Amino acid sequence: MSRIFTVSVASVYPHYVNKVERKGRSKAELDQVIEWLTGFDEAALAHHPTAGTTFEDFFAQARLNAHVDQIKGVVCGVRVEEIDDPLMQRIRYLDKLVDELARGQAMDKVLRA
């Protein structure tokens, strides 16, 4: 079991926000990306960081988007589509989407529209 599974979403979320804002994107766009991936609405997204939800619990409660299989590419030197552990793959999907957002890709491409 990877250590990241037990890390709280609250401890990582501010890093995601800083990453996208440094690159000229907004927290609202980040939340839109997370909502697309997980199905969590604005209220649910606000709840998880304050509740101390771990990544394991966060993704256990998520309803993944039907188009997650379109998320492809490399995160931390590993192709996300080739990750065997389902939870690790979901976490890397999130990382990949945050990376794409921070790199300035258009929202329709990030959201696979």
Side-chain angles (χ1 to χ4, degrees):
M1 183 166 161
S2 178
R3 184 175 159 265
I4 189 68
F5 297 171
T6 59
V7 170
S8 72
V9 173
S11 66
V12 178
Y13 182 76
H15 297 290
Y16 289 151
V17 172
N18 288 338
K19 182 175 188 169
V20 300
E21 286 181 343
R22 273 194 324 263
K23 301 293 186 167
R25 302 307 285 259
S26 69
K27 179 183 175 294
E29 289 173 310
L30 172 64
D31 289 348
Q32 184 181 356
V33 166
I34 295 172
E35 182 177 342
W36 178 88
L37 177 64
T38 63
F40 293 133
D41 62 12
E42 189 175 328
L45 282 177
H47 166 76
H48 287 290
T50 59
T53 307
T54 64
F55 273 105
E56 185 172 26
D57 293 337
F58 182 76
F59 281 107
Q61 297 170 25
R63 293 179 329 271
L64 287 187
N65 189 294
H67 300 289
V68 295
D69 60 332
Q70 294 177 12
I71 302 171
K72 300 191 185 312
V74 178
V75 174
C76 297
V78 179
R79 296 202 68 77
V80 294
E81 63 270 23
E82 295 174 1
I83 297 173
D84 292 328
D85 185 290
L87 178 55
M88 182 60 78
Q89 188 174 46
R90 291 175 181 141
I91 293 168
R92 294 303 184 192
Y93 283 155
L94 178 57
D95 290 342
K96 182 67 177 164
L97 294 176
V98 171
D99 286 351
E100 290 176 357
L101 182 65
R103 281 197 315 260
Q105 285 191 3
M107 283 301 282
D108 62 332
K109 289 189 179 190
V110 175
L111 302 181
R112 279 42 182 188

